[in-house]
Amino acid sequence: MGHTPFGYRIENGIAIIDEPAAAKLRQLYKNYLNGMSLSKAAAEAGIPTYHGTAKRLMETVHYLGDSFYPAIIDKETYQKAQEERKRRATKLGRNNKQTQMRTIQIPTRFHMGKVTALHDNPMKQAEYLYSLIESESQ
């Protein structure tokens, strides 16, 4: 499954609420909805973290409950927090940024220069051979 979200722990393959952490999450939402910034809301809730991590905590849909994770946050509180986050971001001019995707050209054609040296050490030989590989695309 991967990383277990903050507020849960896995026991015998089942996600259960880690109540002390869940209480901090509920306080995070409450603090944020009472006007605190994300980082201050997290700090006041006892979650020492940065703005971006606090934002990701607030966006974690598992806290609503799903087929694996029990609910920690009710849907109304979650929705209010998302609306408030969007409202604040819009007010600060952060919602109208266009993310520009850059195209990455991955070289797929290569050639290898002439091998002129042999090393006794296999690592040195491999390093040397790799140094002879050049991309044919620019």
Side-chain angles (χ1 to χ4, degrees), residues 7-137:
Y8 297 103
R9 66 179 184 270
I10 308 298
E11 288 186 7
N12 299 319
I14 298 170
I16 62 168
I17 295 174
D18 177 353
E19 203 46 60
K24 290 178 181 181
L25 278 170
R26 292 183 195 105
Q27 190 62 47
L28 166 66
Y29 278 81
K30 184 178 178 182
N31 292 348
Y32 184 72
L33 289 171
N34 284 332
M36 289 184 192
S37 69
L38 282 168
S39 52
K40 183 162 175 63
E44 292 287 321
I47 306 170
T49 191
Y50 299 100
H51 171 90
T53 304
K55 177 184 173 214
R56 282 190 293 280
L57 285 173
M58 300 278 294
E59 292 175 335
T60 303
V61 294
H62 294 302
Y63 297 145
L64 291 171
D66 58 29
S67 62
F68 187 75
Y69 294 102
I72 291 176
I73 303 294
D74 65 89
K75 190 172 185 173
E76 183 182 352
T77 301
Y78 182 86
Q79 281 304 117
K80 282 181 182 176
Q82 301 319 304
E83 290 166 12
E84 178 63 12
R85 198 180 47 70
K86 288 176 188 163
R87 185 192 70 75
R88 290 184 196 184
T90 300
K91 185 178 176 184
L92 294 170
R94 293 182 180 155
N95 279 349
N96 56 3
K97 289 183 182 174
Q98 292 274 333
T99 304
Q100 192 172 33
M101 296 297 288
R102 57 186 175 124
T103 13
I104 300 171
Q105 184 68 29
I106 300 171
T108 55
R109 297 186 50 137
F110 303 90
H111 70 274
M112 186 168 152
K114 185 173 170 101
V115 178
T116 58
L118 294 174
H119 297 276
D120 291 333
N121 180 327
M123 294 298 286
K124 285 281 186 201
Q125 186 67 27
E127 195 174 282
Y128 167 69
L129 292 173
Y130 275 107
S131 75
L132 297 175
I133 299 172
E134 295 178 9
S135 172
E136 292 181 1
S137 58

